[in-house]
């Protein structure tokens, strides 16, 4: 076995930490002109103003860029990079969910070496340098604060493009669970399931390693009990803190391995319909797990024990069955809608969804080889799911 694990991000975790942001960014050599990349929803929550004031009181000049779509678009990243250059900014702080953080990552790249997002994804331009970056997640889900990738939608084609390079990891990740206390239930559940999927896919995919499996297992142990607790009591800071830790651990898992077919289908859906990423993952998770178990029972029996669905006495077949049943119930209790209940979803688009999923760079990473026909079956089984 051969593997590599790279991680250059300074990780700071704790409630209230965001008030220490000026000192933390000073420690990593930000200049004095900071571009805050966030989304309009976060702006509305009032989260940004105090952060801006804290930075300004410490002598920083700030500019807020909030052209961030739920599924981040290349044109917004490119426009943001232009603003960064024109305004002479010296560093980026991305504050928000995965959309804001991924947009921030793309801006750090495009602002330094120009071009379009697709130039880097298609290999027309090399990754050479990025602007200084700090990330502050406000949801427990994406893990983007510690990963080397950013998923950006090509507006003209709906193609989901993945920027991926070690230099896209931020210099600093500030995880403050208090920032997640006001996340609405539907976003909490969807992003929480996304974090679990990161752990599952990062653990089982073909590029996993003992290190990513260790992080993945730790993430699953935390997330499975914590997410229902948060859903029951959204202001439970200890449970919110567990979820943020879980999403961080999941990020450290899949960020060094990959995701797989749940994400390929979810990104296809997000690209075509703008379905929120976490929600799209949640509707496919049980179906892809049921598919992946075949031929990989021992691996999934391990997952089943890690998540507490099976015991050591169960055979691999029994444990795998309990895994699928356990996940179906777990997702159902979170109140996740079915695929057919999501806006705009129509079987008439399944051909296109199959092609988008199959073309996804993570399709070859799925532990069980998956064909176009398999993706069609998975879409159908998710669509025909009974309530
Ligand atoms: Fe994800």
């Amino acid at each position: 076995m051969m593997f590599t694990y790279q991680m250059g991000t300074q990780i700071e975790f704790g409630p209230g930490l965001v008030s220490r942001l000026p000192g933390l960014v000073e420690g990593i050599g930000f200049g004095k002109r900071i571009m805050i990349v966030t989304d309009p929803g976060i702006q509305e929550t009032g989260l940004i103003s105090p952060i801006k004031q804290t930075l300004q009181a410490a002598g920083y000049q700030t500019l807020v860029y909030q052209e961030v779509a739920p599924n981040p678009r290349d044109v917004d990243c490119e426009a943001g990079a232009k603003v960064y250059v024109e305004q002479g900014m010296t560093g980026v702080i991305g504050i928000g969910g995965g959309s804001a953080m991924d947009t921030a990552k793309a801006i750090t790249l495009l602002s330094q070496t120009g071009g379009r997002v697709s130039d880097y994804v298609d290999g027309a331009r090399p990754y050479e340098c990025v602007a200084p970056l700090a990330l502050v997640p406000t949801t427990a889900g994406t893990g983007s604060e510690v990963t080397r990738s950013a998923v950006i939608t090509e507006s003209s084609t709906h193609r989901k493009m993945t920027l991926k390079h070690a230099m896209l990891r931020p210099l600093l990740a500030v995880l403050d669970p208090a920032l997640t206390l006001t996340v609405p239930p539907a976003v909490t559940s969807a992003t929480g399931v996304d974090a679990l999927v990161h752990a599952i896919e990062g653990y089982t995919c073909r590029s996993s390693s003992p290190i990513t499996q260790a992080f993945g297992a730790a993430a699953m142990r935390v997330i499975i009990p914590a997410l229902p607790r948060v859903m029951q009591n959204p202001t439970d800071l200890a449970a919110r803190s567990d979820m943020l830790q879980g999403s961080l651990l999941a990020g450290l898992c899949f960020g060094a391995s990959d995701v797989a077919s749940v994400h390929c289908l979810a990104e296809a859906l997000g690209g075509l319909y703008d379905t929120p990423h976490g929600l799209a993952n949640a509707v496919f998770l049980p179906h892809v797990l049921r598919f992946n178990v075949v031929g990989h029972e021992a691996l999934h029996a391990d997952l089943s024990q890690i998540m507490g669905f099976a015991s050591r006495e169960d055979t691999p077949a029994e444990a795998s069955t309990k895994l699928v049943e356990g996940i179906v119930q777990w997702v159902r209790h979170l109140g996740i809608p079915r695929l057919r209940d999501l806006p705009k979803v129509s079987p008439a688009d399944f051909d296109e969804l199959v092609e988008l999923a199959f073309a996804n760079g993570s399709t070859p990473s799925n532990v069980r080889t998956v064909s176009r026909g398999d993706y069609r079956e998975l879409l159908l089984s998710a669509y025909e799911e009974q309530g």
Side-chain angles (χ1 to χ4, degrees):
M1 170 179 263
M2 290 175 71
F3 60 86
T4 176
Y5 194 91
Q6 207 179 4
M7 184 58 207
T9 302
Q10 176 188 342
I11 300 168
E12 300 289 341
F13 190 101
L17 254 190
V18 79
S19 62
R20 288 174 36 202
L21 207 48
L24 290 169
V25 293
E26 192 182 352
I28 55 167
F30 260 49
K32 285 290 179 191
R33 292 176 64 78
I34 293 180
M35 182 179 202
I36 295 174
V37 177
T38 189
D39 66 62
I42 297 291
Q43 270 277 50
E44 274 172 32
T45 64
L47 218 68
I48 302 299
S49 290
I51 294 175
K52 226 169 64 174
Q53 283 161 13
T54 310
L55 287 165
Q56 286 168 354
Y60 289 94
Q61 287 178 285
T62 59
L63 180 155
V64 176
Y65 183 75
Q66 56 166 9
E67 296 305 315
V68 173
N71 284 287
R73 302 183 309 165
D74 53 353
V75 287
D76 295 328
C77 301
E78 288 149 19
K82 203 165 164 239
V83 172
Y84 183 98
V85 173
E86 283 172 0
Q87 299 295 321
M89 307 314 285
T90 57
V92 176
I93 302 181
I95 305 173
S99 315
M101 291 196 282
D102 284 4
T103 301
K105 284 178 174 178
I107 289 174
T108 64
L109 176 68
L110 301 175
S111 64
Q112 301 305 297
T113 46
R116 309 203 62 188
V117 173
S118 56
D119 295 341
Y120 298 87
V121 173
D122 298 336
R125 278 176 192 263
Y127 293 83
E128 282 172 357
C129 61
V130 292
L133 175 66
L135 292 177
V136 182
T138 59
T139 59
T142 164
S144 186
E145 68 276 8
V146 289
T147 71
R148 62 188 156 161
S149 54
V151 181
I152 309 292
T153 301
E154 187 165 44
S155 313
S156 56
T157 62
H158 302 299
R159 171 175 67 136
K160 285 270 188 176
M161 304 180 289
T162 303
L163 290 168
K164 195 183 245 188
H165 195 280
M167 66 175 61
L168 290 175
R169 282 198 185 88
L171 296 172
L172 173 69
V174 178
L175 294 100
D176 182 343
L179 297 183
T180 68
L181 283 172
T182 53
V183 179
V187 179
T188 299
S189 58
T191 52
V193 176
D194 184 33
L196 182 73
V197 178
H198 292 156
I200 292 173
E201 299 207 299
Y203 186 106
T204 58
C205 74
R206 289 179 177 170
S207 52
S208 69
S209 74
I211 298 178
T212 62
Q213 290 197 337
F215 280 123
M220 290 179 230
R221 286 194 186 97
V222 173
I223 293 167
I224 288 289
L227 188 52
R229 277 168 58 213
V230 173
M231 293 304 289
Q232 210 166 18
N233 183 5
T235 56
D236 180 343
L237 184 60
R240 289 282 192 185
S241 181
D242 283 354
M243 275 310 296
L244 197 58
Q245 277 183 43
S247 69
L248 168 67
L249 291 164
L252 293 167
C253 166
F254 89 97
S257 51
D258 201 356
V259 286
S261 288
V262 177
H263 270 77
C264 298
L265 285 162
E267 288 174 11
L269 210 66
L272 202 57
Y273 305 125
D274 226 16
T275 312
H277 175 71
L279 194 54
N281 269 298
V283 298
F284 293 120
L285 174 62
H287 303 276
V288 172
L289 268 183
R290 195 176 286 120
F291 172 84
N292 279 350
V293 160
V294 178
H296 302 277
E297 284 183 342
L299 178 69
H300 288 86
D302 289 344
L303 289 193
S304 195
Q305 283 182 20
I306 290 166
M307 289 191 247
F309 296 127
S311 68
R312 285 173 188 274
E313 286 71 46
D314 289 314
T315 64
E318 287 166 347
S320 299
T321 304
K322 287 182 177 177
L323 171 68
V324 177
E325 287 170 355
I327 289 292
V328 166
Q329 292 304 323
W330 188 81
V331 170
R332 190 165 290 162
H333 282 137
L334 295 172
I336 303 282
R338 300 168 303 173
L339 177 60
R340 63 164 59 232
D341 298 327
L342 299 180
K344 297 185 269 187
V345 175
S346 159
D349 297 328
F350 281 7
D351 283 345
E352 193 174 355
L353 288 169
V354 165
E355 288 309 316
L356 286 167
F358 192 73
N360 191 300
S362 295
T363 282
S365 293
N366 196 59
V367 64
R368 182 179 169 194
T369 300
V370 53
S371 67
R372 286 183 171 86
D374 294 327
Y375 273 134
R376 172 168 285 283
E377 289 296 319
L378 287 165
L379 278 162
L380 282 171
S381 68
Y383 191 77
E384 286 163 4
E385 185 179 313
Q386 299 304 311

